[in-house]
Amino acid sequence: MITIGDRITKNYLLITITPYYNDISDKGLNEQIRSHVIQERRHIKITSADKFIISGKVFDECNCDLLELENIMLLDDAMESVPETVTCFSSNIFQPQLNSLKSPKLIISCNDDHFNVPPGVRDLAIKGNDNITVYCHDNLERFVLHDGTAILTNCNNLQQLALKDNAHYVYGEFLDYIGHLEYKCEIASNVFTELYEYLPMFKNLREYVGRIDKRTLNLLPFVRKIDSVCVSHKNMTTDDIPDSLEDMRFCIEGVPCNDVLDEKPNIKRIKYTRQHLELDAFVEKYPNVYFYTDGYHQSLMKPIIYNNKKLVTLLELC
């Protein structure tokens, strides 16, 4: 006997499958699953305490953006039924029928030493592997690694690379051309040793998201945008900021943002820090600069917020 329980919120639906005798769905259960997944929810999660197999076209009318499976395996007909409108497909176990997947974003756990990227996937995240070779295609635009080391082959159009959690390195010919790197933003310590070794391998890096220090900045001579999660950065001066930088979403401890702008006029976006001018006079002095005001009460930032909106509007009109 199999039962389904659900927990429903406005944007989330949890379906729990409890197998008693069978570990594969039958016609009756498929109808029950279908009746649940047609509900309009942004995120639908189907879970089982033990591995369970769904066989049948149960997802034809699935109405979610994110379909998340936990200990659930889909056979070919079930995978084929997942529509393109499911923009993200996530599974904590390997799925053998991924070539049938239509979703453009895939989050997958893989214990094998190689992985073939499904033809329709443009955004791929891999978890649960120490060392893996990923066979890509020209439609893959973003790759995220959560564990270990990866080698990407036949990867000719990758636009963004992200390393998270316990990932170390991702290698491949893409290092010669890729422009965007996100490196372990959520980890506060012990990232720099690997980063010092890794950053020089990138030949065309234009955007960097992650931890920085004085040495990191010196390894980013051509970067145009830096987004660093630290509130402030010690032992840095404006001389450490690359002359190429145009978008500076971080601040240097003890250095007001107006001092940075006066010394680095190439910067067009910068994290706001307190300075001595009144806000109206400040905006008047830097009318063409967009200021990030996160961390400040927005009601106190009205002159800056108004000017930011004006800049965005002008940019959209161009």
Side-chain angles (χ1 to χ4, degrees), residues 255-262 271-283 285-286 291 296 301 304:
V255 182
C257 58
N258 56 306
D259 287 356
V260 176
L261 292 171
D262 292 341
K271 186 175 175 64
Y272 175 80
T273 54
R274 292 194 183 280
Q275 36 70 51
H276 300 300
L277 294 173
E278 294 290 334
L279 284 186
D280 288 326
F282 181 72
V283 170
K285 185 177 181 181
Y286 306 104
F291 293 93
Y296 290 91
M301 297 284 107
I304 289 178

Side-chain angles (χ1 to χ4, degrees), residues 211-244:
R211 302 277 168 173
I212 60 171
D213 64 0
K214 193 180 186 80
R215 184 173 172 183
T216 304
L217 289 179
N218 291 329
L219 294 172
L220 296 167
F222 308 113
V223 71
R224 294 176 183 169
K225 179 178 181 178
I226 296 177
D227 187 345
S228 185
V229 293
C230 292
V231 175
S232 63
H233 299 82
K234 299 179 180 179
N235 304 320
M236 294 184 197
T237 69
T238 52
D239 291 336
D240 297 314
I241 299 172
D243 290 335
S244 59

Side-chain angles (χ1 to χ4, degrees), residues 82-208:
V82 178
E84 293 180 2
T85 51
V86 176
T87 54
C88 180
F89 180 90
S90 174
S91 174
N92 75 324
I93 61 173
F94 183 70
Q95 300 286 339
Q97 306 297 336
L98 285 172
N99 275 345
S100 304
L101 182 68
K102 304 182 189 73
S103 300
K105 181 175 181 178
L106 171 63
I107 303 170
I108 191 75
S109 290
C110 180
N111 295 320
D112 209 339
D113 61 358
H114 68 278
F115 182 81
N116 293 299
V117 182
V121 170
R122 300 195 301 270
D123 186 335
L124 172 65
I126 292 182
K127 301 180 179 181
N129 200 296
D130 291 332
N131 197 340
I132 189 169
T133 298
V134 181
Y135 297 96
C136 308
H137 51 65
D138 289 349
N139 292 326
L140 186 66
E141 299 174 355
R142 183 171 186 263
F143 178 71
V144 182
L145 185 68
H146 287 267
D147 301 285
T149 301
I151 298 174
L152 306 187
T153 66
N154 192 32
C155 192
N156 304 313
N157 194 38
L158 196 68
Q159 298 175 23
Q160 296 184 5
L161 172 67
L163 285 79
K164 300 187 176 185
D165 302 325
N166 299 310
H168 297 295
Y169 303 104
V170 180
Y171 300 112
E173 293 182 356
F174 70 89
L175 291 170
D176 291 335
Y177 70 81
I178 194 168
H180 178 101
L181 171 66
E182 178 183 330
Y183 193 87
K184 299 187 179 183
C185 301
E186 70 284 355
I187 298 177
S189 60
N190 300 323
V191 299
F192 288 114
T193 302
E194 291 181 350
L195 193 57
Y196 296 154
E197 180 181 341
Y198 196 38
L199 279 180
M201 298 182 188
F202 292 84
K203 308 304 181 186
N204 195 41
L205 208 57
R206 294 294 184 264
E207 297 181 1
Y208 172 74

